[in-house]
Structure formats: C-alpha cells, structure tokens
Amino acid sequence: MTSADPAPSHHPPPAGAGADLGLLSPMRGAAEATGDAAVLQAMLDAEAALARAQAALGLVPAEAAGAVSAAARVEAFDLPDLVERARSGGNPVIPLVEDLREAAAPYGEHVHRGATSQDIVDTALMLVAHRTLGPVLADVARLVDGLTRLAAEHRDTPMAARTLTQQAVPTTFGLKAAGWRKLATDARDRLTAARRSLPAQLGGAAGTLAAFRPAAGASGPRAEVALRLPGRFAAELGLAEPGLPWHVLRTPVADLAGALAFTAGALGKLAADVLVLSRTEIGEVSEGVGGGSSSMPHKHNPVRATMIAAAARQVPQLAATLYASLAAEDERPSGAWHAEWQPLRAALRLVAGAARDAAELVADLRVHPDRMRANLTIPGDPSPAPALVDRALATRTAQAPDGEATRPDRTPAGEITHDRDKAPR
C-alpha cells in the first residue's frame, strides 16, 4: 500500500445497509405507503381479492377465498428472500405465489388461478397509488385553504409585479396568492380524477380472460362469468372496473403520470416565487420555519420551498419514462412494463413530499408588506387586481348565516381579520 492509497475501512456497513431510508431524499413523502412492504401487501391484497371475486362467481370454493385472505398478511412473508428470488423471473409475483400457495394450504391450488404476474403487479401499483393519493389530496386541500386565507388577507397589499426579472407594474400580493391557489385547485382536480379512475388489472396470460371461464359442463354461459370477474375483482379492492385488460394499453399509468407531473409543476411555481421573494435583497416573504446553514449561522434558508423546487425538477423526467412505456409491443411487453415501476413510485413519493411541504410552507409563511412597499419603485394603480382576487375566490366563497356571500378571512365590512403584516422578519 502506498501513501496515496486510502486506508481500508474497519467498519463494515450495518445490517440493512442496502435499504433506502431517504438519507438523500428529504423532499420525498409517503415512504411507508410506497415502500416495499406496502407494495408486497398490495400484491397480497390483490391475490386475496381475486380469490374472493372468483368464489363469489363460483370459480373457486368459498373456503379457498377465506384461506387465501387469511394468509395474505405481509408480516408472514420474508421480504428480503422474495427480493432475491424475484431476480430469476424478473418480477416479484412468481416467488410470492409459491409462498402464498404454501401458506394457504390445503387451498393453495386456488391461489392466483388464471392470473398473470402483470395482473397482480399492475393492480398492486394502482392500489399503492390510490392509498398514497388520499393523504396527498388532504395536504393539497390544506394548501388551498391556506392560500385562500392568504389571498383574501392580502387582497389589497401592493407589491411590484415582475416580468423577465424586472419590475413591471404594481400588483397585489393577494393576486399572486390567488394565482398559486388556482394552480393548487387545478392540481387537486387532476389528482382527484386520476385517483377515481385507477383501475384494477385482470386479463390472464394474453388479456383474453380465457383462463377464468368455468369448467365445461358448469351451469350458465362460460364467457359471461369471465366477463363479470374483472368488475367483481375491482369492487373487492375499491378500484375502478377496467373496460379492457390494459397490459399494453397504458392509459391509466399515463394519466396518473400527467396528474403527478402537473401537480409537481404547480407546487414548483409557488416554491419558485417564494425563493425569489425571500432573497435577502428582496425580503418580501420568509418561511416561518427556515433552515440553518452548516457554515453561516446567520442564514434563514427557505428549506421547504427548496425541497418543493427539487421535486418539481425531477417529476417531469419520471413522467416522461412513464409516457414512453405507452409504446409497448404485442399483448405483453418486454421492458416497457418493467420500466414503469420505479419511476411511478418515485413520482408518487416526490409529489407526496411536495404537497406536504407546500401546505406547511403556506401555513407558516410570513408576509412583509413594508418591504413590498419599499421595493415598489414603479408608479401606477394595481386595480383591478383586488377584484380579480374576489373573482378567483368566488369558487370557494363562504356563506354568512343569512346567505350573504363574504370573502374568506374578511369581515362583511372588508376588514382584514388576520394580521400577518406584523410578522417578524
């Protein structure tokens, strides 16, 4: 060993060192809802729902559905072992079915009956997305409420509008907040629509449902029972019924990708404005809870806005991968489907974190009207900016007891009821 060689490490990595706990991902959220254990439980939920749906249509014994449902508990399975065994077949369902059949004995033969691995993975990822987006939408609702209050409170607070980095004409901070709110409500609407339309996946080996027909000689039309099964399967899981098996018809994933990318960008716009307005030289807003610096203790960094901005820069590229997987060959593709798994999970995590951070940022945001007035060097009248704020907030106008509409956070006489003007800088 020469003097230039690094000294060998005498500290082996701790157990579980391969796990991604988020050390380099402070901007992500929903780690538990999207983690490997959550995905495994979603796959188990899909297998159990399939058995119950088949039992309801007479395709498997009722006792089999009960046995599979009872066995489908994530804690009963060796996750690291499944991860290792999944490599040989290219997906985790193959070893999972082996273990679930053993756990559901003596009804193991009815596990995964007629399904293909993609049915289970696709359905599981739709379940994960559905479960993740519930809390995300709650955070977006908190954000919309916070922006509603902010826009109403600062309806008349003058500030400089800036175009191409330069002061343009006067506006009001309320109008800027109303614009953020519009993007947040647009994101909410797109996420809600995407969540409601997330479908189960069930098609069998080549998307024909052929393996789900009753045995020859069974009563009732054989094809009719198979056609009813996807709807029953979806209902068991609380997902939308698929019109067709969508193994290579990736509209659900593309629609979800679009909603996630839009949401990241919408929240990123808010963050970009906060980052500019909180510059030391401008000082028109500041985060109520800022971050410190490892070398400059005087700094009050806009950490939440920074994390949102980081997420907004990543999600579009992830969405691009998901859109690229639309071009999938044959009745099941090689590679296109597999390429979706990680980008979809990463996009869900980043949007979850951005929605959480945005709601917290707006709830604690400090607005400094004195700095806004001091910075405003362009003469002019900001009207009708306040009237535009009123119009923007009309979609969520509160109703007074006598039915008279009032602007949120303002008395009927128009007095501001929350005083952020005195917030310390």
Side-chain angles (χ1 to χ4, degrees), residues 44 47-49 51-52 64-73 100 104:
L44 290 167
E47 293 285 5
R52 292 194 300 271
V68 176
S69 296
R73 296 176 295 105
L100 184 56

Side-chain angles (χ1 to χ4, degrees), residues 227-311:
L227 290 173
R228 289 167 54 197
L229 182 60
R232 185 69 187 231
F233 176 54
E236 289 283 347
L237 295 165
L239 295 174
E241 179 177 355
L244 288 173
W246 46 279
H247 294 149
V248 285
L249 311 175
R250 308 306 285 177
T251 303
V253 176
D255 284 348
L256 179 57
L260 292 171
F262 179 88
T263 300
L267 302 180
K269 160 60 177 170
L270 183 161
D273 282 346
V274 169
L275 289 169
V276 169
L277 296 178
S278 62
R279 289 177 181 270
T280 305
E281 308 91 293
I282 297 176
E284 296 179 0
V285 303
S286 58
E287 291 194 13
V289 181
S293 167
S294 62
S295 60
M296 294 170 284
H298 64 280
K299 292 184 68 180
H300 186 81
N301 295 326
V303 172
R304 287 183 177 133
T306 298
M307 294 299 98
I308 298 166

Side-chain angles (χ1 to χ4, degrees), residues 133-198:
L133 289 180
V136 170
L137 283 166
D139 283 335
V140 174
R142 288 198 298 129
L143 172 63
V144 171
D145 288 345
L147 291 172
T148 299
R149 292 190 295 271
L150 201 61
E153 182 176 333
H154 291 282
R155 170 184 184 270
D156 305 298
T157 302
M159 68 176 295
R162 296 173 173 92
T163 63
L164 303 181
T165 76
Q166 305 298 300
Q167 288 199 20
V169 296
T171 185
T172 73
F173 183 68
L175 184 57
K176 182 175 284 289
W180 296 340
R181 179 184 179 276
K182 177 62 168 65
L183 286 174
T185 58
D186 288 346
R188 176 199 61 200
D189 294 345
R190 284 160 174 75
L191 288 177
T192 299
R195 185 173 188 253
R196 287 174 177 167
S197 63
L198 293 173

Side-chain angles (χ1 to χ4, degrees), residues 19-28 31 349:
D20 179 3
L21 302 180
L23 185 64
L24 297 180
S25 305
M27 70 290 297
R28 81 179 186 186
R349 288 178 168 180

